[in-house]
Amino acid sequence: LAQAILAQRLASYRAQRTLRRPASMAYQYYDGHFKEGHKVKTVKDVEAEKFIAAFAQHLKRQGRFEIPKWADVVKTSKAKELPPLNPDWLYVRTASMVRKIYIRGGSGVGAFRKVYGGQQRRGTCTNVFCKSSGKIARYVLQQLEEMGLVEQAEDGGRVITKEGQRELDTVAVQAAEVEEQEEE
């Protein structure tokens, strides 16, 4: 009797899993339906991952962003044990930060510390949220200011400049074009 109940539960579980799969596939078709014929004009029209990769490459090619000496040995948070493995991690972090400023301006060093923070594992003690490094966020924002992409807001934090908005939008359009070429 117990085996029959167990088999019945297993069968119903499998049926539920197969029912869920097509629902997640439906989102792709739904999103794809609205993306057809859609022209990319701004950063908000491109997926975050694709834009961040494209803008990081743009920063690296441009050469205006200075990589400090400490970039290869610094940890991004006290919760981390090792520095990032990607040698271009600072370009990626910069692209991510400038995208966040574009989408929601007024973010400062404290806000970025919170955004890029994570759980600090403390052995047998419970995990506790830990903010990320403020030096990295401050350095990136200062570099973006020198490049003319962001400026300080009157009420605190940073906002995107007209020049910065234009540059980010052009990179977004280029990233979308590359994405369309890969699909074909």
Side-chain angles (χ1 to χ4, degrees):
L1 184 66
Q3 288 180 343
I5 293 171
L6 190 64
Q8 187 179 16
R9 285 184 182 168
L10 183 62
S12 68
Y13 172 72
R14 285 185 181 152
Q16 287 175 352
R17 280 187 59 203
T18 54
L19 287 175
R20 283 188 209 144
R21 248 184 241 140
S24 63
M25 297 275 297
Y27 291 119
Q28 287 177 327
Y29 297 117
Y30 184 79
D31 291 344
H33 174 71
F34 288 106
K35 285 183 181 177
E36 287 178 14
H38 180 68
K39 189 154 176 87
V40 174
K41 296 178 182 173
T42 65
V43 174
K44 295 179 181 182
D45 299 334
V46 183
E47 292 178 23
E49 186 178 342
K50 304 245 163 96
F51 173 77
I52 289 170
F55 195 74
Q57 283 299 317
H58 174 74
L59 284 173
K60 191 172 181 181
R61 269 183 280 143
Q62 212 173 21
R64 291 195 307 170
F65 188 84
E66 297 176 23
I67 297 291
K69 292 182 231 171
W70 47 261
D72 56 340
V73 294
V74 72
K75 298 192 306 179
T76 56
S77 170
K78 71 175 191 176
K80 301 289 184 183
E81 291 185 12
L82 295 171
L85 297 175
N86 183 358
D88 299 331
W89 70 270
L90 199 56
Y91 292 116
V92 175
R93 176 66 62 94
T94 304
S96 173
M97 286 176 70
V98 78
R99 181 181 177 275
K100 285 188 184 298
I101 293 171
Y102 182 100
I103 290 172
R104 185 172 182 262
S107 299
V109 175
F112 284 116
R113 286 190 69 194
K114 197 179 292 184
V115 166
Y116 294 107
Q119 293 292 320
Q120 182 176 12
R121 298 176 64 199
R122 304 185 305 159
T124 57
C125 302
T126 56
N127 296 349
V128 175
F129 180 80
C130 169
K131 291 182 178 179
S132 71
S133 169
K135 168 71 175 178
I136 296 169
R138 195 166 32 258
Y139 180 79
V140 167
L141 291 173
Q142 287 169 354
Q143 287 293 310
L144 289 171
E145 275 186 43
E146 284 180 22
M147 293 168 64
L149 299 178
V150 298
E151 63 186 4
Q152 291 192 354
E154 300 89 38
D155 56 339
R158 305 296 203 287
V159 291
I160 203 92
T161 61
K162 291 288 182 193
E163 219 178 278
Q165 185 175 353
R166 190 178 326 115
E167 188 170 339
L168 266 65
D169 288 341
T170 55
V171 171
V173 170
Q174 291 168 358
E177 288 173 358
V178 170
E179 182 182 339
E180 288 175 6
Q181 290 174 356
E182 288 176 358
E183 288 177 3
E184 294 173 359

